[in-house]
């Protein structure tokens, strides 16, 4: 079922969803299941599965020379989505990236989703590789998420690459990312909203936001998005802070601001166990306020661990 249909069928009730990270190459999927299991009692209508782009590694030869190789440390997003759907009878949302994929590879991935009965995809540009200062498109790939949304939307019209037209059309529900505090590369929030409008105009059906820790920033973002003509559901993304280093790591990686009250609470903690509890309590407070405001879904970034998410949603749902 489409995410937008789940929201419509809820008739104003706030839903719960979460995001998982595929296990590293060579690891067993059972660990992922162990993290999903405790969350299933809360009946999430869908689960997102991230996609990691390629990474470089080096092989040292006997002569001392280094050979540069490319690998993916967390492959199998579509396969994991299919496994989760089969095991839990819940919809899944694979993340589809511009970075690391050609247009043809993207089409193959989408066709696999179509065959497997996966109705939803999250279209993202993706981050720059570690060795890159700025994002660089893959040869033969997309530069912007808007182009990726257009390709997916074309499949929904029965239009494939190379001018191939098919009688059987895809019917993907397309999600995209939104940034309440603007994307790290955007010169302003206004220009960032213009890019989001382009994605919606290209065929995006809903938006999931980057994590934020001040609900007012989300409320203002939604209001400005409406003023810009963006009328699709905007789902807030929530992440409970878990370690003291998150204050610096998350602000550097995503250019997000932490409320002073939260900063002081974290800095006063003696250890990360105390920080984790502060993060849980803050996320509960955030979630209750957002739910009271009637947000369509509360989407949690679990990052492979579910114990803190379970504690949050058990207080909210």
């Amino acid at each position: 079922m489409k995410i937008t249909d789940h929201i419509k069928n809820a008739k104003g009730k706030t839903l719960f969803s979460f995001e998982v990270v595929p296990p590293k190459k060579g690891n067993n999927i059972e660990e992922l299941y162990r993290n999903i299991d405790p969350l299933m009692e809360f009946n999430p209508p869908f689960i997102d599965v991230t996609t990691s782009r390629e990474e470089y590694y080096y092989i040292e030869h006997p002569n001392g020379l280094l050979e540069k190789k490319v690998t993916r440390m967390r492959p199998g997003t579509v396969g994991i989505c299919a496994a989760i759907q089969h095991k839990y009878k819940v919809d899944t949302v694979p993340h589809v990236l511009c970075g690391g994929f050609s247009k043809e590879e993207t089409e193959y991935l989408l066709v696999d989703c179509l065959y497997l009965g996966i109705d939803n995809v999250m279209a993202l540009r993706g981050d720059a590789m570690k060795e890159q200062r700025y994002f660089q498109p893959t040869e033969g790939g997309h530069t912007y998420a808007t182009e990726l949304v257009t390709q997916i939307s074309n499949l929904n019209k029965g239009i494939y690459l190379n001018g191939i037209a098919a009688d059987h059309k895809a019917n993907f529900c397309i999600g995209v990312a939104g940034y309440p505090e603007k994307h790290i590369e955007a010169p302003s929030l206004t220009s960032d909203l213009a890019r989001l409008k382009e994605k919606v105009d290209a065929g995006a059906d809903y938006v999931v936001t980057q994590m934020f820790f001040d609900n007012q920033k989300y409320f203002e973002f939604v209001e400005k998005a409406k003023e810009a003509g963006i009328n699709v559901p905007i789902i807030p993304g929530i992440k409970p802070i878990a370690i003291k280093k998150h204050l610096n790591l998350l602000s550097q990686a995503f250019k997000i601001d932490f409320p002073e009250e939260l900063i002081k609470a974290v800095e006063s903690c003696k250890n990360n166990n105390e920080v984790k509890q502060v993060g849980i309590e803050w996320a509960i407070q955030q979630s209750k306020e957002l739910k009271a405001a009637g947000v369509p879904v509360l989407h949690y970034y679990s990052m492979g661990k579910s114990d803190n998410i379970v504690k949050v949603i058990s207080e909210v749902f």
Side-chain angles (χ1 to χ4, degrees), residues 64-78:
L65 295 177
L66 296 177
E67 182 180 2
K68 191 176 184 180
K69 294 277 191 177
V70 177
T71 188
R72 292 185 188 277
M73 296 305 296
R74 298 180 184 271
T77 295
V78 173

Side-chain angles (χ1 to χ4, degrees), residues 288-308:
K288 286 183 176 180
E289 183 180 20
L290 290 164
K291 186 180 178 185
V295 299
V297 184
L298 285 170
H299 184 72
Y300 294 89
Y301 297 111
S302 70
M303 304 305 290
K305 300 295 181 182
S306 63
D307 56 325
N308 55 353

Side-chain angles (χ1 to χ4, degrees), residues 182-249:
K182 86 174 184 62
H183 188 275
I184 186 174
E185 296 173 17
S188 70
L189 181 57
T190 299
S191 64
D192 200 29
L193 281 167
R195 302 290 82 76
L196 180 59
K197 179 67 161 53
E198 290 173 0
K199 290 188 283 189
V200 171
D201 289 345
D205 298 292
Y206 70 99
V207 177
V208 179
T209 77
Q210 179 58 272
M211 68 184 75
F212 56 89
F213 294 89
D214 180 351
N215 285 351
Q216 190 58 36
K217 294 191 183 286
Y218 167 81
F219 295 134
E220 292 173 357
F221 175 72
V222 171
E223 190 61 35
K224 290 178 180 177
K226 289 179 179 178
E227 292 173 0
I230 298 168
N231 296 307
V232 298
I234 299 179
I235 297 171
I238 305 296
K239 175 177 172 54
I241 193 169
I243 59 175
K244 191 170 287 190
K245 286 184 178 179
H246 276 162
L247 290 179
N248 300 114
L249 295 176

Side-chain angles (χ1 to χ4, degrees), residues 6-242:
H6 280 297
I7 293 171
K8 182 179 179 180
N9 293 342
K11 298 180 179 178
K13 178 184 176 182
T14 298
L15 302 174
F16 149 70
S17 67
F18 61 96
E19 181 175 297
V20 297
V21 179
K24 285 188 176 181
K25 184 165 55 179
N27 289 2
N28 196 295
I29 198 172
E30 292 302 323
E31 182 180 354
L32 179 61
Y33 288 156
R34 284 193 293 271
N35 280 298
I36 292 175
D37 285 343
L39 295 167
M40 294 311 297
E41 67 174 281
F42 300 97
N43 299 314
F46 63 93
I47 300 171
D48 276 46
V49 182
T50 66
T51 296
S52 298
R53 66 170 305 171
E54 76 278 22
E55 300 176 27
Y56 290 125
Y57 70 102
Y58 295 88
I59 297 175
E60 185 174 358
H61 293 286
N63 60 6
L65 295 177
L66 296 177
E67 182 180 2
K68 191 176 184 180
K69 294 277 191 177
V70 177
T71 188
R72 292 185 188 277
M73 296 305 296
R74 298 180 184 271
T77 295
V78 173
I80 290 169
C81 284
I84 290 173
Q85 288 198 170
H86 177 73
K87 180 177 176 64
Y88 297 105
K89 304 299 184 289
V90 63
D91 285 310
T92 53
V93 186
H95 289 195
V96 183
L97 305 182
C98 296
F101 297 88
S102 68
K103 296 172 188 176
E104 285 77 13
E105 289 170 327
T106 297
E107 184 169 279
Y108 299 150
L109 183 151
L110 293 168
V111 169
D112 285 344
C113 289
L114 187 60
Y115 291 156
L116 292 166
I118 295 171
D119 299 323
N120 306 281
V121 293
M122 173 65 67
L124 305 166
R125 190 200 69 176
D127 298 325
M129 296 181 69
K130 292 179 181 178
E131 292 79 6
Q132 299 172 345
R133 185 172 182 181
Y134 301 107
F135 176 85
Q136 296 176 15
T138 299
E139 184 176 353
H142 296 298
T143 303
Y144 302 107
T146 302
E147 298 170 349
L148 177 56
V149 172
T150 298
Q151 181 178 1
I152 302 169
S153 183
N154 281 340
L155 258 66
N156 286 347
K157 300 171 185 174
I159 302 171
Y160 289 72
L161 297 176
N162 304 317
I164 298 173
D167 293 332
H168 183 72
K169 301 175 183 179
N171 192 26
F172 291 116
C173 182
I174 308 169
V176 293
Y179 301 86
E181 298 174 73
K182 86 174 184 62
H183 188 275
I184 186 174
E185 296 173 17
S188 70
L189 181 57
T190 299
S191 64
D192 200 29
L193 281 167
R195 302 290 82 76
L196 180 59
K197 179 67 161 53
E198 290 173 0
K199 290 188 283 189
V200 171
D201 289 345
D205 298 292
Y206 70 99
V207 177
V208 179
T209 77
Q210 179 58 272
M211 68 184 75
F212 56 89
F213 294 89
D214 180 351
N215 285 351
Q216 190 58 36
K217 294 191 183 286
Y218 167 81
F219 295 134
E220 292 173 357
F221 175 72
V222 171
E223 190 61 35
K224 290 178 180 177
K226 289 179 179 178
E227 292 173 0
I230 298 168
N231 296 307
V232 298
I234 299 179
I235 297 171
I238 305 296
K239 175 177 172 54
I241 193 169

